[in-house]
Amino acid sequence: MKDRQTAFSNPGCIALAQTPAQDINRLRRTVIEGVKNGNHLLALFLLPAENNGTDELFAVLGDIETRRLFIMRAPVQNSYPSITVDLPLAERFEREIAEQWGVVPTNHPWLKPVRFHESYRQEHHAQPQGMTDFLQPGVMDFLKAEGDEIHEVAVGPVHAGIIEPGHFRFLCHGEKILHMEIALGYQHRGVEQALIGGPDKRTIHYMETLAGDTTIGHALAYCQALEALSACEVPLRGQALRAIALELERLANHTGDLGAMAADVGYSPTAAFCGRLRGDFLNLSALLCGNRFGRGLIRPGGVAFDLDVGLAAEINLRLTKIYQQVEQAVDLLWREPSVLARFEETGVIDKMLAVKLGLVGPAARACGIEYDVRVDFPAGMYRQTPIQVSTWFTGDVYGRAFVRWLEIKRSVNFICKLLNNLPDGPTAVDPGEIAGGRIAVSLVEGWRGEICHTVVTDERGRFRLYKVVDPSFHNWLGLAMAVRNEGIMDFPICNKSFSLSYCGHDL
Amino acid sequence: MLKVFLTRIRQGYHTIAYPEGPLPELPPRYAGRPLLDPGKCLAGCRTCVEVCPVEALSRDDSDALRLDIGRCLFCRACETSCPRQAISFSRDFRMAAASRRDLVVGPEPERLAQALTSETRRLFGRSLKLRQVSAGGCNACELDTNVLGTIVYDLGRFGIQFVASPRHADGILVTGPVSKNMEQALLATYEAVPAPKIVVATGACAIAGGPYIDHLQTCNGVTNLLPVDLFVPGCPPHPLTILDGLLRLLGRIKA
């Protein structure tokens, strides 16, 4: 196809001027048909006009068959025909564009606020007239139903546990959830806007805190994008250490989630063991760089800390021991009928729906979707040391738990393989100058799923736009669909099985 | 059931001995309380001040170097950039303080958090219930606060517990820079806690705004909104730093 002539592999960049520009109707058609043919919509955003130009709508797509990424753009005026009408997975992207720039996707089913902030352009907003005068977090139209025994349950933004803020509105018939609506935006702290004009000395810290539990994932996506822009090749040893850190992050979070899922069904042995073991994995990351979340490790050009023979052996030894204990702790789950009774056939998403919603990560793989950035768009060490995709077919809480367990096993194997064959040489190189007038895309399979960073640079190589798509951005609607027709008491376990990020979504 | 007992035996005991026992060992690369050696500073040198991403370092007219650990992200950019090794990060995790001023490391001797007044200690010393409010950060502080509930730290043994409702709480533990979208919810939660009540600001964000300092969308932490009784620095603070701070506040650790 002509649109794909400028395709590149992950991570990569092309000159902004080379990006195929087309008419909005054609872009719309290409995106819709592309996704129907199995391409992934990685990002959809608006690049605001510069000096009397026109706003442009950008779509970033990934073609799994050819392992190539491609970008399209189309000029838009104040509105354009909505893509969501034909492609529900574009729903949140279009709401975001409307909220940020006041560019309205016409016929979009429901343009609710995403993060409850004012429009980036004064006097230019998509909400009904007067609405922005009192734009309050969580104040929006919620779905209604009427009848005997129909009632609403409102939860949040301050929750009962130690978790991030969000507001959930359950529409119930007795104890059965008819529908759950999610209002996020409470964690909005203006990160994407603060990145414009960068990179500067604070940029890497924004990346490491986009979502604290995905410090390595987001920092890596950023560094890959920067390296694509400066044509920098990270030395093999640096690539290996990055991959080890990324898998350690996955191990800690997956183990913690399995423990929390056990806790949510009242099974305390696994909950207690896994809570502790999660910390043991975090302490391995701290051995690498001093910080349990991996802060300070990933830097443009490579990694900031090396691993000597002694430390590598120590990590290898501890990892094997922790893994054995995780195996014992998780094994109890699969043997306990009362746990399985709560896990199985709860919160089911079938494969068709998962594709329609554009789910990513373990939530998608639990429905039988074989998609993993590490395999489908491999970068760095994953090109040389492949890792197997973990899938299951049930699409329920059990499936999402089981896929995590499979991934734990494979990540441990992968790390051991790398630790035993660490390439020699330097861990980092000078990343060099960032090219101007370009657009770069970088993908990483974080523990929650596909992370996509898109950067547009100005002529001087400064960030003109920085777009972050956290996997949660794709998956929140999945949770809302999963709890339909479930008992309201099963919401916590469904929620935990998705384990989504609020801050990664709110930015 | 037998399998559960067997696993329990195999997993062993993991609760740390702190504060009665020895200080727990932290990884060699851990960055704890910073140590300044202003004697090594070059006259007029401002390298560390300039590389700091959050303006935690300052050098005044008398050339005295000061590091505000309330702002510090512990990224070590200052340590790496210093041509004379005048700044280093120790492995000491004890950093919590009762007043904002005590977080500024400089020529003066350090002051760790002190116990509440005898009246409040009588009220909270044996049983402290806290409501946690997450207000716009990155979730790392929340995660490492949650860790206090695991068997490793076993917060319950000190009579400290996180509760589900502010009405059941003696105070709130705030994380995050307080996004504008969370400001009202935070204040409402504080109002719902019966007096006398305490406020704990955990992490660089809650103390001063963290990496989001001076963003229009945040309030630069809880310090400007509520009276804070305990400041726990770090990005995020190590669970031990939080535990140590809470225990000092209650007068359970004196030294």
Side-chain angles (χ1 to χ4, degrees):
Chain A
M1 254 168 106
K2 239 171 74 188
D3 306 311
R4 301 180 189 195
Q5 279 169 358
T6 49
F8 49 87
S9 59
N10 171 44
C13 76
I14 57 168
L16 195 57
Q18 259 181 28
T19 320
Q22 49 196 257
D23 151 80
I24 180 71
N25 288 315
R26 191 145 156 249
L27 178 135
R28 199 177 165 278
R29 238 183 1 258
T30 318
V31 170
I32 293 164
E33 278 165 21
V35 172
K36 285 194 173 142
N37 291 327
N39 291 337
H40 278 249
L41 180 62
L42 305 169
L44 184 72
F45 57 89
L46 192 91
L47 182 67
E50 252 184 349
N51 341 311
N52 305 328
T54 349
D55 295 338
E56 285 178 305
L57 185 73
F58 275 74
V60 183
L61 286 148
D63 184 350
I64 293 184
E65 268 174 44
T66 59
R67 295 187 171 183
R68 308 284 273 175
L69 314 175
F70 56 101
I71 304 173
M72 286 164 295
R73 58 173 169 165
V76 287
Q77 300 291 343
N78 291 328
S79 68
Y80 67 94
S82 165
I83 295 173
T84 307
V85 180
D86 296 287
L87 211 59
L89 56 83
E91 174 253 3
R92 207 163 281 245
F93 284 119
E94 295 201 315
R95 278 165 59 191
E96 179 187 73
I97 290 167
E99 183 175 31
Q100 292 178 341
W101 303 106
V103 172
V104 182
T106 45
N107 295 327
H108 185 287
W110 212 349
L111 274 184
K112 291 178 289 189
V114 182
R115 300 184 182 105
F116 299 92
H117 60 73
E118 281 179 21
S119 170
Y120 295 167
R121 279 194 284 227
Q122 286 195 333
E123 307 298 315
H124 210 87
H125 46 79
Q127 294 304 325
Q129 204 59 46
M131 177 87 176
T132 48
D133 295 344
F134 50 96
L135 197 57
Q136 294 288 327
V139 177
M140 63 182 202
D141 287 337
F142 288 93
L143 207 65
K144 295 272 172 217
E146 279 172 11
D148 283 352
E149 291 177 18
I150 298 271
H151 62 109
E152 278 186 18
V153 181
V155 182
V158 180
H159 298 295
I162 307 181
I163 53 166
E164 297 169 88
H167 179 74
F168 302 107
R169 190 76 63 96
F170 297 92
L171 203 53
C172 294
H173 178 253
E175 291 193 341
K176 194 169 82 175
I177 301 170
L178 295 178
H179 179 63
M180 178 191 76
E181 254 180 294
I182 303 168
L184 298 174
Y186 295 93
Q187 299 271 90
H188 178 59
R189 52 209 190 276
V191 185
E192 278 186 354
Q193 272 186 302
L195 285 166
I196 291 170
D200 56 35
K201 57 188 177 182
R202 222 189 271 185
T203 308
I204 187 75
H205 301 289
Y206 285 132
M207 296 302 161
E208 290 183 334
T209 58
L210 289 174
D213 50 26
T214 316
T215 296
I216 299 288
H218 277 294
L220 186 53
Y222 162 67
C223 290
Q224 283 184 180
L226 222 60
E227 286 146 13
L229 283 166
S230 56
C232 154
E233 195 68 44
V234 176
L236 279 179
R237 194 176 174 85
Q239 288 182 20
L241 292 175
R242 283 177 168 191
I244 290 171
L246 187 67
E247 296 307 323
L248 280 177
E249 186 167 89
R250 187 181 323 275
L251 286 172
N253 286 302
H254 279 3
T255 306
D257 279 347
L258 287 172
M261 287 161 81
D264 276 342
V265 296
Y267 191 62
S268 45
T270 307
F273 301 146
C274 284
R276 190 256 307 174
L277 290 160
R278 169 182 168 273
D280 287 350
F281 283 124
L282 293 178
N283 288 337
L284 289 185
S285 296
L287 273 183
L288 275 176
C289 65
N291 182 288
R292 288 154 55 87
F293 295 91
R295 303 268 158 93
L297 180 63
I298 313 284
R299 287 293 178 267
V303 290
F305 293 90
D306 198 3
L307 206 57
D308 62 24
V309 182
L311 199 51
E314 163 101 14
I315 292 178
N316 212 339
L317 195 76
R318 282 211 214 174
L319 183 66
T320 316
K321 213 172 134 198
I322 301 168
Y323 172 70
Q324 280 169 358
Q325 299 203 337
V326 175
E327 194 173 30
Q328 294 164 11
V330 176
D331 190 45
L332 294 177
L333 275 186
W334 316 135
R335 286 166 177 270
E336 185 56 56
S338 66
V339 169
L340 295 180
R342 292 289 303 278
F343 277 20
E344 285 172 345
E345 289 172 40
T346 303
V348 181
I349 298 256
D350 68 40
K351 191 175 175 179
M352 288 235 312
L353 181 61
V355 171
K356 207 170 169 185
L357 297 174
L359 299 193
V360 297
R365 292 194 282 275
C367 312
I369 297 174
E370 273 193 55
Y371 171 61
D372 188 317
V373 170
R374 292 172 295 170
V375 174
D376 293 302
F377 300 107
M381 206 24 87
Y382 297 101
R383 288 191 189 143
Q384 319 202 5
T385 313
I387 196 161
Q388 207 182 332
V389 186
S390 308
T391 54
W392 197 243
F393 58 90
T394 51
D396 52 2
V397 169
Y398 176 84
R400 291 185 283 275
F402 195 68
V403 163
R404 284 187 170 82
W405 168 235
L406 292 176
E407 293 193 1
I408 288 173
K409 290 205 261 194
R410 285 161 185 168
S411 290
V412 170
N413 271 332
F414 179 82
I415 297 176
C416 288
K417 227 187 278 176
L418 286 186
L419 281 175
N420 291 327
N421 300 293
L422 267 186
D424 290 326
T427 52
V429 288
D430 181 16
E433 289 280 302
I434 299 170
R438 293 186 164 249
I439 177 163
V441 180
S442 164
L443 296 178
V444 166
E445 183 74 21
W447 65 274
R448 276 196 187 93
E450 169 198 285
I451 294 170
C452 176
H453 286 208
T454 309
V455 200
V456 178
T457 57
D458 65 14
E459 293 80 58
R460 291 161 45 239
R462 306 272 109 190
F463 298 157
R464 196 177 140 198
L465 179 134
Y466 200 106
K467 184 87 212 100
V468 177
V469 186
D470 186 86
S472 308
F473 198 79
H474 299 284
N475 283 5
W476 272 110
L477 193 57
L479 171 63
M481 298 306 287
V483 298
R484 279 194 178 179
N485 295 319
E486 293 291 343
I488 194 162
M489 62 288 188
D490 279 332
F491 169 70
I493 177 72
C494 290
N495 187 23
K496 189 36 83 179
S497 73
F498 276 84
S499 190
L500 299 171
S501 176
Y502 300 70
C503 53
H505 171 278
D506 291 348
L507 296 177
Chain B
M1 202 60 195
L2 194 64
K3 184 100 184 161
V4 176
F5 286 129
L6 261 177
T7 308
R8 171 68 193 84
I9 292 164
R10 282 194 195 144
Q11 298 264 329
Y13 288 92
H14 295 275
T15 309
I16 55 166
Y18 191 74
E20 272 80 32
L23 288 183
E25 204 188 323
L26 284 154
R29 287 168 177 174
Y30 168 74
R33 173 177 283 280
L35 301 170
L36 304 185
D37 189 351
K40 287 184 179 168
C41 281
L42 293 165
C45 172
R46 293 181 57 83
T47 314
C48 59
V49 178
E50 274 152 24
V51 295
C52 180
V54 285
E55 291 160 35
L57 280 143
S58 61
R59 237 187 134 176
D60 59 21
D61 295 337
S62 64
D63 251 16
L65 189 63
R66 282 193 173 75
L67 174 50
D68 181 356
I69 53 172
R71 279 179 168 237
C72 183
L73 304 180
F74 294 82
C75 70
R76 286 186 275 215
C78 49
E79 186 187 28
T80 335
S81 74
C82 179
R84 303 283 288 264
Q85 285 92 47
I87 303 174
S88 60
F89 285 83
S90 73
R91 277 159 78 194
D92 188 357
F93 60 82
R94 294 167 300 184
M95 285 185 273
S99 99
R100 182 71 186 83
R101 276 196 319 276
D102 293 344
L103 294 178
V104 181
V105 179
E108 305 83 12
E110 69 179 42
R111 272 165 59 98
L112 292 170
Q114 288 173 350
L116 300 162
T117 61
S118 58
E119 171 60 11
T120 40
R121 227 176 103 191
R122 191 180 61 78
L123 279 169
F124 302 136
R126 283 163 175 271
S127 158
L128 177 68
K129 309 288 171 194
L130 293 171
R131 173 73 279 246
Q132 202 274 330
V133 183
S134 167
C138 75
N139 200 30
C141 291
E142 288 85 340
L143 288 168
D144 266 353
T145 305
N146 253 326
V147 163
L148 296 177
T150 65
I151 48 179
V152 178
Y153 298 91
D154 194 16
L155 201 59
R157 69 194 155 124
F158 304 107
I160 308 172
Q161 195 192 351
F162 288 97
V163 292
S165 165
R167 307 253 183 234
H168 302 158
D170 302 310
I172 55 174
L173 184 146
V174 184
T175 52
V178 189
S179 58
K180 288 272 191 257
N181 285 353
M182 268 308 283
E183 192 180 349
Q184 289 310 312
L186 169 70
L187 296 177
T189 307
Y190 178 76
E191 281 305 312
V193 177
K197 46 193 162 185
I198 60 169
V199 177
V200 181
T202 301
C205 282
I207 297 173
Y212 319 111
I213 201 160
D214 295 337
H215 279 205
L216 288 175
Q217 297 85 351
T218 75
C219 306
N220 279 349
V222 67
T223 321
N224 308 321
L225 301 169
L226 296 171
V228 178
D229 300 278
L230 181 70
F231 297 88
V232 187
C235 185
H238 195 279
L240 277 169
T241 312
I242 310 174
L243 177 66
D244 175 74
L246 289 174
L247 294 180
R248 276 174 205 280
L249 186 73
L250 300 179
R252 305 285 287 257
I253 302 178
K254 298 211 172 69

